Amino acid sequence: MTVPSRADDLVRLGNLKFAHYGAISYMKEIAPKFGLKIDERVFAKGADIYPAMAVDQIDISASGADGAVAARGNGVKLYVVAGFANGGVRILRRPDLEIKSLADVKGLKVATVRGGTQDLMLLAELDKHGMTWSERPGKDVQLTYFNNYADLNQALAQKYVDIICQSEPQSTQAISAGYAAEVVKPYDTPIGVPVRPLVMTEKMYNERPEVAARVLKLFVAATKAFIDDPALAEKYVREQVFKGQLTSQDFRDGMANAKYTYDVPAGHMQITTDYMMKYGLGKMVNPPKSDAEWVKLDMLEKAKADLKTN
Protein backbone atom coordinates (compact mmCIF):
# COMPACT_ATOMS: atom_id res chain seq x y z
CA MET A 1 0.00 0.00 0.00
CA THR A 2 1.35 3.43 -0.95
CA VAL A 3 1.34 6.03 1.79
CA PRO A 4 0.04 9.42 0.62
CA SER A 5 2.91 11.83 -0.03
CA ARG A 6 3.28 15.22 1.62
CA ALA A 7 5.53 18.10 0.63
CA ASP A 8 7.64 17.69 3.77
CA ASP A 9 8.39 14.06 2.87
CA LEU A 10 11.08 15.04 0.39
CA VAL A 11 14.44 13.54 1.41
CA ARG A 12 17.66 14.77 -0.20
CA LEU A 13 20.19 11.98 -0.76
CA GLY A 14 23.92 12.25 -1.44
CA ASN A 15 25.31 9.18 -3.20
CA LEU A 16 28.34 7.89 -5.12
CA LYS A 17 28.60 5.95 -8.38
CA PHE A 18 29.82 2.52 -7.32
CA ALA A 19 28.37 -0.96 -7.79
CA HIS A 20 27.95 -1.56 -4.06
CA TYR A 21 26.08 1.76 -3.66
CA GLY A 22 23.33 0.53 -5.98
CA ALA A 23 20.71 -0.29 -3.35
CA ILE A 24 20.98 3.27 -2.01
CA SER A 25 20.23 4.59 -5.49
CA TYR A 26 17.33 2.11 -5.83
CA MET A 27 15.65 3.71 -2.82
CA LYS A 28 14.28 6.47 -5.02
CA GLU A 29 12.47 3.94 -7.21
CA ILE A 30 10.36 2.50 -4.39
CA ALA A 31 10.18 5.59 -2.17
CA PRO A 32 6.49 6.34 -2.95
CA LYS A 33 5.53 3.08 -1.19
CA PHE A 34 6.76 4.73 2.00
CA GLY A 35 5.28 8.18 1.37
CA LEU A 36 8.69 9.58 0.45
CA LYS A 37 10.35 11.25 -2.49
CA ILE A 38 14.11 10.78 -2.78
CA ASP A 39 16.02 13.55 -4.54
CA GLU A 40 19.35 11.89 -5.34
CA ARG A 41 22.50 13.89 -6.03
CA VAL A 42 25.57 11.93 -7.13
CA PHE A 43 28.95 13.25 -6.01
CA ALA A 44 32.44 12.49 -7.34
CA LYS A 45 33.68 11.22 -3.97
CA GLY A 46 32.48 10.90 -0.41
CA ALA A 47 34.43 13.88 0.92
CA ASP A 48 32.41 16.15 -1.40
CA ILE A 49 29.08 15.20 0.18
CA TYR A 50 29.64 16.45 3.70
CA PRO A 51 30.03 20.17 3.01
CA ALA A 52 26.55 19.93 1.46
CA MET A 53 25.24 18.21 4.59
CA ALA A 54 26.83 20.90 6.75
CA VAL A 55 24.78 23.63 5.05
CA ASP A 56 21.51 21.64 5.07
CA GLN A 57 21.48 20.70 1.37
CA ILE A 58 21.58 16.93 1.99
CA ASP A 59 19.59 14.92 4.57
CA ILE A 60 21.07 11.43 4.19
CA SER A 61 24.16 10.19 2.44
CA ALA A 62 26.20 7.12 1.55
CA SER A 63 29.98 7.10 1.75
CA GLY A 64 32.97 5.38 3.27
CA ALA A 65 33.31 5.22 7.04
CA ASP A 66 36.34 7.51 6.91
CA GLY A 67 34.34 10.29 5.25
CA ALA A 68 31.66 10.10 7.91
CA VAL A 69 34.27 10.13 10.69
CA ALA A 70 36.08 13.14 9.20
CA ALA A 71 32.84 15.05 8.79
CA ARG A 72 31.71 14.34 12.34
CA GLY A 73 35.17 15.18 13.64
CA ASN A 74 35.02 18.54 11.89
CA GLY A 75 31.65 19.59 13.22
CA VAL A 76 29.11 18.25 10.72
CA LYS A 77 26.11 17.23 12.80
CA LEU A 78 25.33 13.73 11.57
CA TYR A 79 24.59 10.23 12.84
CA VAL A 80 25.47 6.83 11.42
CA VAL A 81 22.10 5.08 11.10
CA ALA A 82 22.95 1.90 9.12
CA GLY A 83 25.62 0.15 7.11
CA PHE A 84 24.70 -0.41 3.47
CA ALA A 85 27.71 -2.28 2.02
CA ASN A 86 31.05 -3.75 2.91
CA GLY A 87 34.24 -4.65 1.05
CA GLY A 88 34.68 -3.08 -2.38
CA VAL A 89 38.44 -2.34 -2.28
CA ARG A 90 41.40 -3.86 -4.13
CA ILE A 91 45.06 -2.99 -4.38
CA LEU A 92 46.17 -3.45 -7.99
CA ARG A 93 49.51 -3.53 -9.79
CA ARG A 94 50.71 -3.18 -13.31
CA PRO A 95 50.62 -6.74 -14.71
CA ASP A 96 54.24 -6.53 -15.89
CA LEU A 97 55.51 -6.10 -12.31
CA GLU A 98 56.29 -9.06 -10.06
CA ILE A 99 54.67 -7.95 -6.82
CA LYS A 100 53.26 -10.51 -4.43
CA SER A 101 52.47 -8.26 -1.45
CA LEU A 102 52.80 -4.70 -0.24
CA ALA A 103 56.18 -5.69 1.15
CA ASP A 104 57.43 -5.55 -2.47
CA VAL A 105 56.38 -1.99 -3.29
CA LYS A 106 59.37 -0.12 -1.88
CA GLY A 107 60.53 2.46 -4.40
CA LEU A 108 57.44 2.16 -6.58
CA LYS A 109 54.81 4.77 -7.43
CA VAL A 110 51.64 4.18 -5.41
CA ALA A 111 48.39 6.07 -5.89
CA THR A 112 44.82 6.32 -4.67
CA VAL A 113 42.00 8.88 -4.35
CA ARG A 114 42.40 11.23 -1.42
CA GLY A 115 39.88 11.10 1.37
CA GLY A 116 38.20 7.80 0.51
CA THR A 117 38.02 4.37 2.09
CA GLN A 118 40.76 3.35 -0.33
CA ASP A 119 43.13 5.91 1.20
CA LEU A 120 42.76 4.53 4.72
CA MET A 121 42.91 0.89 3.63
CA LEU A 122 46.07 1.51 1.61
CA LEU A 123 47.87 3.19 4.51
CA ALA A 124 46.84 0.43 6.92
CA GLU A 125 48.21 -2.18 4.51
CA LEU A 126 51.48 -0.30 4.01
CA ASP A 127 51.79 0.06 7.78
CA LYS A 128 51.23 -3.67 8.27
CA HIS A 129 54.21 -4.38 5.99
CA GLY A 130 56.45 -1.85 7.71
CA MET A 131 56.45 0.63 4.83
CA THR A 132 56.89 4.38 5.32
CA TRP A 133 55.21 6.84 2.96
CA SER A 134 54.96 10.48 1.97
CA GLU A 135 53.85 12.61 -0.94
CA ARG A 136 57.47 13.77 -1.13
CA PRO A 137 60.57 11.71 -1.92
CA GLY A 138 62.56 10.15 0.90
CA LYS A 139 60.24 7.44 2.25
CA ASP A 140 59.77 3.82 1.20
CA VAL A 141 56.75 4.82 -0.88
CA GLN A 142 55.94 8.11 -2.57
CA LEU A 143 52.18 8.51 -2.71
CA THR A 144 50.29 10.22 -5.51
CA TYR A 145 46.70 11.31 -4.96
CA PHE A 146 44.03 11.70 -7.62
CA ASN A 147 40.71 13.52 -7.45
CA ASN A 148 38.59 10.80 -9.06
CA TYR A 149 38.55 7.06 -9.64
CA ALA A 150 38.58 7.13 -13.46
CA ASP A 151 41.86 9.09 -13.44
CA LEU A 152 43.34 6.51 -11.08
CA ASN A 153 42.68 3.74 -13.61
CA GLN A 154 44.08 5.84 -16.44
CA ALA A 155 47.27 6.49 -14.51
CA LEU A 156 47.83 2.77 -14.05
CA ALA A 157 46.97 1.97 -17.67
CA GLN A 158 49.47 4.56 -18.89
CA LYS A 159 52.13 3.31 -16.42
CA TYR A 160 52.31 6.69 -14.75
CA VAL A 161 51.99 4.79 -11.45
CA ASP A 162 52.79 1.20 -10.48
CA ILE A 163 50.22 0.45 -7.75
CA ILE A 164 46.73 1.76 -7.07
CA CYS A 165 44.16 1.21 -4.35
CA GLN A 166 40.80 1.28 -6.09
CA SER A 167 37.06 0.75 -5.53
CA GLU A 168 34.49 -1.42 -7.36
CA PRO A 169 33.67 -1.81 -10.16
CA GLN A 170 36.59 0.33 -11.34
CA SER A 171 39.15 -2.18 -10.06
CA THR A 172 37.36 -5.07 -11.76
CA GLN A 173 37.16 -3.07 -15.00
CA ALA A 174 40.91 -2.45 -14.86
CA ILE A 175 41.60 -6.17 -14.41
CA SER A 176 39.24 -7.23 -17.21
CA ALA A 177 40.75 -4.62 -19.55
CA GLY A 178 44.16 -6.20 -19.00
CA TYR A 179 46.11 -3.31 -17.53
CA ALA A 180 45.87 -4.35 -13.87
CA ALA A 181 46.33 -7.41 -11.69
CA GLU A 182 45.30 -7.85 -8.08
CA VAL A 183 47.89 -7.64 -5.31
CA VAL A 184 45.56 -8.01 -2.35
CA LYS A 185 42.13 -7.22 -0.99
CA PRO A 186 43.28 -5.12 1.97
CA TYR A 187 41.08 -6.66 4.65
CA ASP A 188 43.82 -8.26 6.77
CA THR A 189 44.58 -5.28 9.02
CA PRO A 190 42.91 -4.43 12.35
CA ILE A 191 40.34 -2.36 10.43
CA GLY A 192 39.07 -5.54 8.78
CA VAL A 193 36.54 -5.40 5.95
CA PRO A 194 35.49 -1.75 5.47
CA VAL A 195 31.82 -0.93 6.06
CA ARG A 196 30.07 1.87 4.18
CA PRO A 197 27.67 3.73 6.50
CA LEU A 198 24.38 5.40 5.71
CA VAL A 199 24.42 8.70 7.59
CA MET A 200 21.65 11.13 8.48
CA THR A 201 21.75 14.71 9.69
CA GLU A 202 20.99 15.24 13.36
CA LYS A 203 18.32 17.68 12.20
CA MET A 204 16.38 15.00 10.33
CA TYR A 205 16.86 12.39 13.05
CA ASN A 206 15.74 14.73 15.86
CA GLU A 207 13.24 17.06 14.17
CA ARG A 208 11.59 14.70 11.66
CA PRO A 209 11.70 11.35 13.47
CA GLU A 210 8.63 9.91 11.73
CA VAL A 211 10.08 10.67 8.31
CA ALA A 212 13.48 9.40 9.43
CA ALA A 213 11.91 6.12 10.54
CA ARG A 214 10.29 5.70 7.12
CA VAL A 215 13.65 6.41 5.46
CA LEU A 216 15.14 3.50 7.39
CA LYS A 217 12.26 1.24 6.37
CA LEU A 218 12.80 2.30 2.76
CA PHE A 219 16.52 1.57 3.07
CA VAL A 220 15.87 -1.90 4.49
CA ALA A 221 13.30 -2.66 1.76
CA ALA A 222 15.60 -1.51 -1.06
CA THR A 223 18.55 -3.46 0.32
CA LYS A 224 16.45 -6.58 0.87
CA ALA A 225 15.23 -6.38 -2.73
CA PHE A 226 18.83 -6.40 -3.99
CA ILE A 227 19.92 -9.20 -1.65
CA ASP A 228 16.91 -11.38 -2.48
CA ASP A 229 17.03 -10.73 -6.24
CA PRO A 230 20.60 -10.49 -7.60
CA ALA A 231 19.21 -10.21 -11.14
CA LEU A 232 17.32 -7.05 -10.14
CA ALA A 233 20.47 -5.64 -8.53
CA GLU A 234 22.54 -6.32 -11.64
CA LYS A 235 19.96 -4.93 -14.05
CA TYR A 236 19.41 -1.77 -12.03
CA VAL A 237 23.08 -1.01 -11.42
CA ARG A 238 24.15 -1.73 -14.98
CA GLU A 239 21.27 0.03 -16.73
CA GLN A 240 20.32 2.86 -14.37
CA VAL A 241 23.48 3.66 -12.41
CA PHE A 242 26.12 2.96 -15.08
CA LYS A 243 23.88 3.57 -18.13
CA GLY A 244 25.06 0.43 -19.93
CA GLN A 245 28.77 1.13 -19.40
CA LEU A 246 29.28 -1.83 -17.06
CA THR A 247 29.33 -5.40 -18.37
CA SER A 248 27.52 -8.24 -16.66
CA GLN A 249 30.80 -9.97 -15.87
CA ASP A 250 32.36 -6.82 -14.42
CA PHE A 251 29.32 -6.28 -12.22
CA ARG A 252 29.44 -9.84 -10.94
CA ASP A 253 33.18 -9.79 -10.40
CA GLY A 254 32.95 -6.45 -8.62
CA MET A 255 30.17 -7.64 -6.32
CA ALA A 256 32.17 -10.80 -5.55
CA ASN A 257 34.39 -8.33 -3.67
CA ALA A 258 31.54 -6.44 -1.98
CA LYS A 259 28.26 -7.15 -0.26
CA TYR A 260 24.97 -5.35 0.28
CA THR A 261 24.15 -5.27 3.98
CA TYR A 262 22.20 -3.40 6.66
CA ASP A 263 24.52 -3.34 9.61
CA VAL A 264 27.49 -1.58 11.18
CA PRO A 265 29.53 -4.00 13.34
CA ALA A 266 30.07 -2.83 16.91
CA GLY A 267 33.24 -0.76 17.21
CA HIS A 268 33.86 -0.41 13.46
CA MET A 269 33.42 3.35 13.37
CA GLN A 270 35.70 3.77 16.38
CA ILE A 271 38.52 1.66 14.98
CA THR A 272 38.19 3.65 11.76
CA THR A 273 38.52 6.84 13.82
CA ASP A 274 41.54 5.49 15.68
CA TYR A 275 43.42 4.60 12.51
CA MET A 276 42.55 7.88 10.82
CA MET A 277 44.04 9.69 13.79
CA LYS A 278 47.11 7.44 13.66
CA TYR A 279 47.73 8.31 10.00
CA GLY A 280 46.70 11.96 10.21
CA LEU A 281 43.69 11.58 7.92
CA GLY A 282 40.71 13.91 8.03
CA LYS A 283 42.47 16.71 9.95
CA MET A 284 39.79 16.47 12.63
CA VAL A 285 39.23 19.27 15.11
CA ASN A 286 37.25 17.08 17.52
CA PRO A 287 37.43 13.35 16.61
CA PRO A 288 34.46 11.22 17.74
CA LYS A 289 35.30 9.74 21.14
CA SER A 290 33.07 6.68 20.94
CA ASP A 291 30.47 5.02 18.75
CA ALA A 292 27.88 5.69 21.47
CA GLU A 293 27.88 9.43 20.77
CA TRP A 294 26.94 9.19 17.09
CA VAL A 295 26.10 5.65 15.94
CA LYS A 296 22.30 5.46 16.24
CA LEU A 297 20.92 2.10 15.09
CA ASP A 298 17.58 2.14 16.90
CA MET A 299 15.54 3.08 13.81
CA LEU A 300 17.37 0.48 11.75
CA GLU A 301 16.58 -2.30 14.22
CA LYS A 302 12.90 -1.31 14.32
CA ALA A 303 12.75 -1.16 10.52
CA LYS A 304 14.33 -4.62 10.23
CA ALA A 305 11.88 -5.99 12.78
CA ASP A 306 8.88 -4.41 11.05
CA LEU A 307 9.95 -5.82 7.69
CA LYS A 308 10.96 -9.18 9.22
CA THR A 309 14.54 -8.86 7.98
CA ASN A 310 17.60 -10.18 9.80
Side-chain angles (χ1 to χ4, degrees), residues 138-205:
K139 300 294 185 179
D140 293 334
V141 170
Q142 184 173 352
L143 294 179
T144 298
Y145 285 102
F146 288 83
N147 289 323
N148 65 67
Y149 298 90
D151 288 348
L152 195 58
N153 273 15
Q154 282 293 104
L156 189 68
Q158 295 171 4
K159 300 184 179 181
Y160 177 75
V161 298
D162 305 307
I163 303 287
I164 64 172
C165 192
Q166 180 63 290
S167 190
E168 297 291 1
Q170 288 84 352
S171 64
T172 294
Q173 291 174 316
I175 292 170
S176 65
Y179 57 82
E182 181 178 302
V183 178
V184 67
K185 297 178 182 71
Y187 309 149
D188 56 351
T189 74
I191 299 170
V193 179
V195 174
R196 306 309 200 283
L198 180 68
V199 303
M200 178 181 290
T201 63
E202 289 186 19
K203 181 177 180 180
M204 168 163 276
Y205 184 93

Side-chain angles (χ1 to χ4, degrees), residues 16-309:
L16 303 177
K17 188 178 177 180
F18 295 120
H20 44 303
Y21 287 60
I24 298 297
S25 187
Y26 186 65
M27 288 169 62
K28 66 180 179 289
E29 309 297 338
I30 61 172
K33 295 180 181 179
F34 298 85
L36 298 167
K37 179 180 179 181
I38 300 294
D39 180 13
E40 182 186 34
R41 179 179 169 190
V42 178
F43 291 78
K45 56 184 184 293
D48 297 340
I49 297 176
Y50 294 105
M53 292 193 86
V55 295
D56 196 27
Q57 294 177 352
I58 295 290
D59 302 305
I60 61 172
S61 72
S63 80
D66 58 296
V69 169
R72 177 79 186 189
N74 286 307
V76 182
K77 295 181 178 181
L78 56 83
Y79 292 141
V80 169
V81 294
F84 66 88
N86 59 38
V89 183
R90 295 183 207 251
I91 296 178
L92 306 176
R93 61 175 171 85
R94 287 169 34 200
D96 58 313
L97 298 176
E98 290 295 328
I99 298 169
K100 295 182 179 179
S101 81
L102 268 289
D104 302 324
V105 304
K106 187 173 181 178
L108 298 180
K109 297 179 181 178
V110 179
T112 192
V113 172
R114 187 186 300 277
T117 296
Q118 297 73 26
D119 192 1
L120 177 61
M121 302 305 287
L122 173 62
L123 299 188
E125 195 71 23
L126 289 170
D127 190 16
K128 176 190 171 182
H129 288 88
M131 296 284 114
T132 60
W133 61 84
S134 174
E135 292 180 63
R136 298 180 179 180
K139 300 294 185 179
D140 293 334
V141 170
Q142 184 173 352
L143 294 179
T144 298
Y145 285 102
F146 288 83
N147 289 323
N148 65 67
Y149 298 90
D151 288 348
L152 195 58
N153 273 15
Q154 282 293 104
L156 189 68
Q158 295 171 4
K159 300 184 179 181
Y160 177 75
V161 298
D162 305 307
I163 303 287
I164 64 172
C165 192
Q166 180 63 290
S167 190
E168 297 291 1
Q170 288 84 352
S171 64
T172 294
Q173 291 174 316
I175 292 170
S176 65
Y179 57 82
E182 181 178 302
V183 178
V184 67
K185 297 178 182 71
Y187 309 149
D188 56 351
T189 74
I191 299 170
V193 179
V195 174
R196 306 309 200 283
L198 180 68
V199 303
M200 178 181 290
T201 63
E202 289 186 19
K203 181 177 180 180
M204 168 163 276
Y205 184 93
N206 293 322
E207 298 180 14
R208 302 169 69 194
E210 190 272 335
V211 174
R214 277 189 278 138
V215 169
L216 267 296
K217 283 188 179 181
L218 168 60
F219 160 72
V220 170
T223 302
K224 186 176 189 303
F226 270 33
I227 292 172
D228 290 350
D229 190 349
L232 168 67
E234 178 179 337
K235 179 179 174 63
Y236 186 79
V237 171
R238 290 181 59 217
E239 294 181 4
Q240 300 302 317
V241 178
F242 283 89
K243 309 299 182 185
Q245 297 179 335
L246 181 65
T247 69
S248 176
Q249 192 61 54
D250 282 350
F251 172 82
R252 295 180 186 189
D253 289 347
M255 288 309 300
N257 182 34
K259 181 181 179 182
Y260 299 117
T261 185
Y262 312 100
D263 302 310
V264 180
H268 186 76
M269 299 305 298
Q270 190 57 48
I271 196 168
T272 300
T273 303
D274 294 343
Y275 272 80
M276 289 177 66
M277 292 175 66
K278 179 178 181 180
Y279 302 139
L281 298 179
K283 299 179 181 178
M284 292 176 279
V285 175
N286 186 23
K289 294 179 175 61
S290 71
D291 284 4
E293 74 177 51
W294 71 301
V295 179
K296 308 289 186 181
L297 304 180
D298 53 321
M299 289 186 182
L300 172 66
E301 295 307 319
K302 186 176 188 309
K304 289 168 63 180
D306 289 348
L307 296 176
K308 299 180 172 58
T309 301

Side-chain angles (χ1 to χ4, degrees), residues 1-13:
M1 178 180 178
T2 300
V3 180
S5 243
R6 300 188 304 270
D8 62 350
D9 293 340
L10 174 69
V11 177
R12 301 163 299 175
L13 165 67

